[in-house]
Amino acid sequence: MKKYFFIPIFLASAALAQSAVLDIGSEYRLRNVTLANPTYTSEAPIGSGQTIDQNYFTHRARVYIKGKFDPNIEVGTVIQALSIAGSTAPFINRYPKEDLTPFIENAYIRANEIYDLPINLTLGRQPYHWGTGLLISDDGLGFDAIRLDCGPFW
């Protein structure tokens, strides 16, 4: 199974190599997380005078490839891997893999200004957050969607 994981990446990178603009990059983040009393309980166990604190490290590695074939056509993909070190608790099963196994965060194709109108169409797993992301956010997972953005026509 793992050897077949790289076939779509290879095909996408071969197609993106023909693009007019190609952007390839990577990112690695190591972060210490300290949560003092994350459950907001007074004590655990009651009467002990001790609160539950969580201290752990998170690792995130991302690789992205984005290409523009035409001034109006864009294809992009982001592959991400996450891990936790120093904690016995998982990420509450929010992410598909939490052991630095790569998964696809985003894979989309976008058509901008279709027929010279202010209409943009995005297909596939795409990043999305509304406003500051407090109510709606992809949280680094992407949403599978068809998105149509229309601007003012005057």
Side-chain angles (χ1 to χ4, degrees):
M1 179 63 182
K2 288 186 178 182
K3 63 182 175 181
Y4 297 116
F5 177 76
F6 292 102
I7 291 175
I9 297 168
F10 175 74
L11 293 176
S13 63
L16 288 171
Q18 303 295 324
S19 66
V21 177
L22 184 63
D23 186 17
I24 300 173
S26 64
E27 165 190 336
Y28 179 78
R29 182 182 74 184
L30 172 65
R31 181 168 55 176
N32 180 20
V33 178
T34 302
L35 299 173
N37 197 11
T39 58
Y40 301 108
T41 58
S42 58
E43 302 173 334
I46 295 175
S48 68
Q50 298 177 351
T51 59
I52 301 171
D53 295 337
Q54 292 182 353
N55 299 310
Y56 56 91
F57 289 94
T58 62
H59 304 266
R60 181 176 79 175
R62 297 173 74 201
V63 176
Y64 64 89
I65 302 171
K66 187 187 299 185
K68 289 193 175 193
F69 292 96
D70 209 23
N72 298 344
I73 302 293
E74 176 183 315
V75 177
T77 184
V78 179
I79 298 168
Q80 181 175 179
L82 298 169
S83 175
I84 301 175
S87 176
T88 57
F91 277 158
I92 55 174
N93 297 325
R94 173 71 175 112
Y95 297 97
K97 303 284 184 177
E98 298 172 0
D99 57 354
L100 278 180
T101 301
F103 62 91
I104 296 174
E105 177 183 341
N106 297 320
Y108 63 90
I109 183 167
R110 178 178 296 143
N112 297 317
E113 298 181 2
I114 300 171
Y115 296 113
D116 293 327
L117 296 171
I119 299 172
N120 302 328
L121 177 67
T122 307
L123 304 169
R125 179 168 286 209
Q126 51 196 285
Y128 185 78
H129 68 276
W130 184 40
T132 60
L134 180 64
L135 296 177
I136 300 174
S137 175
D138 67 343
D139 197 23
L141 288 173
F143 284 131
D144 294 329
I146 298 172
R147 181 176 176 179
L148 183 66
D149 295 321
C150 299
F153 289 95
W154 57 86

